[in-house]
Amino acid sequence: MKRIFLGRPIHWLFILLIVGGGLALGLERLHVIHFNTFVITLFAATVVLLGLVLATAKGDDPLTRDPIPELGEEQS
């Protein structure tokens, strides 16, 4: 499964939280009725989840399947 799902399992849990939170916001119709509350909640959730990903990620974790070239390296 590690070949299919890159990243740490906790990061996949964060994706489930994002989907669940988006569903909850949509069901409450905050994007229509209380747009300012929706935008503030969305911004706060983004900042918190980005902080959690950065806090739990290790420097040598793979981000993509293909290697990322160093600066100055030619791409073929």
Side-chain angles (χ1 to χ4, degrees):
M1 291 302 274
K2 278 193 169 267
R3 293 182 59 208
I4 297 172
F5 298 106
L6 292 180
R8 303 185 66 172
I10 189 84
H11 296 166
W12 289 95
L13 177 65
F14 294 157
I15 291 175
L16 291 176
L17 288 174
I18 291 169
V19 171
L23 178 65
L25 291 175
L27 290 175
E28 290 296 321
R29 292 181 174 75
L30 286 183
H31 60 291
V32 175
I33 300 170
H34 302 289
F35 186 73
N36 290 340
T37 305
F38 170 75
V39 170
I40 291 169
T41 304
L42 189 63
F43 180 75
T46 301
V47 169
V48 168
L49 287 170
L50 181 59
L52 286 172
V53 167
L54 292 175
T56 59
K58 293 181 182 175
D60 60 345
D61 284 344
L63 300 175
T64 63
R65 296 190 194 293
D66 299 324
I68 299 173
E70 295 294 325
L71 289 176
E73 234 180 77
E74 287 188 28
Q75 295 180 354
S76 51

